[in-house]
Amino acid sequence: MKMALQNKNGKTHRRLVGSSILAFALLGAIGAANAQSTTAAQPAEIKADATYTTPSPFGPLKHVKAGLLDVAYAETGPADGPVVILLHGWPYDIHSYDEVAPLLAAKGYRVLMPYARGYGDTHFLSEKTVRNGQPAALASDVIDFMDALKIKQAVLGGYDWGARSADIVSALWPERVKALVSVSGYLIGNQAAGKNPLPPKAELQWWYQFYFATDRGRAGYEKNTHDFAKLIWQLASPKWAFDDATFDRSAKALENPDHVEITVFNYRWRLGMVQGEPQYEALEQKLATAPSISVPTITLEGDANGAPHPNPEDYAKRFTGKYEFRLINGGIGHNLPQEDPKAFAKAVIDADHL
């Protein structure tokens, strides 16, 4: 495993070359929304015996009622160990951590891997709840999950949507976060910035966001979820030679009846096409100020990440506590914990000891 290191003073052994345009593309696509959504469709009724997950290598999934959700999650490691919560991205699932979690458990950590809203066997407690995919809602789910399990503080790790949620929790509830590992760094932005047009090459990388903005795109994702997700995997990790079994294991989680609605809401929200719910207004106002993150943090980037992502030098100053950046070499793409589990697990352990 080869990596480049960068501390908060900017000293590096190797710089990650990236366009600041991508930073604006990513940061501008997320932010604050304040009004009640009027576009969410009524979800399908969930059958009691429904299952939208493949077996976990850590035994049967556990469930806990947390806030608006019945959260399905995997757990491994000693029950009395320091807690690590690992958050997955789109369109992936908790199997991204199948090899990370045992490495952490062997070091004495209690590792929890929850399915986000709209994935796997996690479902809403009420059919009347808006299937809201805005970032503040997903981050609030993490706090509700911790509260339900009576976890006062945890190390958070994530990539893609999971990194965004981990960043938000770290910024707004720093007392709940012992340390942070975030792939692609600082992913907190604001909805207003998303209104600004980008150069053509940057816009091209967000093609799926514009696709989801149309009724045809929503229908297409619902009809072709499996193939669509596989294409995203291939584009986001062009050098990752995953096999069909690996993909199919995670794609099962996308069969959740709320998945399409959550996905479309998230990307339409970023463009300001739908608005968030009033209960998240205060959080979104705070996030619109681009709050700094003060908890000990290690950010990671794969050297072959094909998904839109910001330049690490553009966000380094957002981390005001102990901080380190690592570039992970070897053709590592967007799903970094699954593509290089040793590097991700090492970052979690090291962040916890910064």
Side-chain angles (χ1 to χ4, degrees):
M1 175 183 67
K2 298 179 180 179
M3 64 181 70
L5 305 181
Q6 178 181 10
N7 61 26
K8 66 184 299 181
N9 296 320
K11 296 180 180 180
T12 63
H13 296 296
R14 177 176 175 181
R15 272 178 77 180
L16 173 65
V17 178
S19 170
S20 60
I21 289 175
L22 293 178
F24 297 141
L26 185 56
L27 297 178
I30 30 185
N34 302 318
Q36 173 71 40
S37 170
T38 59
T39 60
Q42 288 296 320
E45 181 179 356
I46 297 175
K47 298 180 180 179
D49 60 349
T51 178
Y52 308 101
T53 57
T54 53
S56 166
F58 312 111
L61 291 176
K62 297 184 177 182
H63 284 258
V64 64
K65 291 183 179 179
L68 301 173
L69 303 171
D70 180 317
V71 178
Y73 66 101
E75 178 174 350
T76 189
D80 59 350
V83 178
V84 174
I85 300 176
L86 303 177
L87 305 172
H88 69 83
W90 172 88
Y92 307 91
D93 82 328
I94 66 173
H95 286 290
S96 292
Y97 298 109
D98 280 359
E99 295 183 54
V100 172
L103 297 174
L104 297 176
K107 294 294 184 179
Y109 288 99
R110 177 189 178 193
V111 186
L112 307 175
M113 296 152 279
Y115 278 100
R117 56 171 63 189
Y119 294 81
D121 288 338
T122 290
H123 62 80
F124 289 87
L125 297 174
S126 172
E127 293 184 7
K128 297 180 180 180
T129 303
V130 175
R131 271 41 180 176
N132 183 346
Q134 72 182 107
L138 289 157
S140 296
D141 291 343
V142 178
I143 292 295
D144 289 339
F145 178 69
M146 294 176 68
D147 288 346
L149 294 178
K150 297 180 171 55
I151 297 170
K152 293 183 178 180
Q153 192 177 57
V155 177
L156 299 184
Y159 67 99
D160 194 78
W161 287 24
R164 183 170 299 114
S165 292
D167 286 351
I168 293 173
V169 172
S170 298
L172 300 186
W173 295 278
E175 72 281 359
R176 307 298 297 273
V177 183
K178 187 178 181 184
L180 168 68
V181 172
S182 178
V183 176
S184 297
Y186 188 92
L187 302 182
I188 301 172
N190 64 83
Q191 199 177 40
K195 297 179 180 179
N196 298 322
L198 302 168
K201 287 185 178 180
E203 298 281 24
L204 178 62
Q205 288 194 303
W206 288 104
W207 65 272
Y208 51 89
Q209 181 168 266
F210 299 111
Y211 182 67
F212 291 148
T214 68
D215 290 340
R216 175 179 175 176
R218 188 197 185 287
Y221 188 56
E222 185 170 30
K223 180 179 180 180
N224 303 300
T225 306
H226 184 280
D227 292 345
F228 194 104
K230 194 169 188 177
L231 176 61
I232 294 295
W233 279 40
Q234 293 166 340
L235 295 174
S237 300
K239 296 186 178 182
W240 181 28
F242 60 88
D243 57 23
D244 288 342
T246 298
F247 173 75
D248 291 342
R249 184 166 58 246
S250 289
K252 181 70 176 175
L254 310 183
E255 296 175 14
N256 182 298
D258 297 314
H259 176 74
V260 172
E261 196 65 39
I262 295 295
T263 299
V264 171
F265 193 113
N266 180 283
Y267 287 106
R268 289 185 179 182
W269 181 90
R270 299 188 196 196
L271 293 174
M273 297 182 63
V274 296
Q275 297 304 314
E277 296 179 272
Q279 64 263 39
Y280 303 112
E281 179 178 353
L283 298 180
E284 295 294 2
Q285 288 178 350
K286 292 179 181 179
L287 295 175
T289 68
S292 62
I293 294 176
S294 61
V295 305
T297 300
I298 292 177
T299 62
L300 304 173
E301 191 59 78
D303 65 338
N305 186 358
H309 60 280
N311 187 330
E313 293 165 353
D314 291 338
Y315 60 67
K317 293 183 179 179
R318 304 292 182 92
F319 297 95
T320 59
K322 296 179 180 180
Y323 173 73
E324 186 179 297
F325 166 74
R326 297 178 179 179
L327 173 64
I328 309 303
N329 296 308
I332 304 304
H334 192 59
N335 185 0
L336 195 151
Q338 194 163 2
E339 296 177 59
D340 195 337
K342 291 182 179 178
F344 192 91
K346 187 177 190 305
V348 170
I349 296 168
D350 292 347
D352 187 29
H353 293 90
L354 281 178

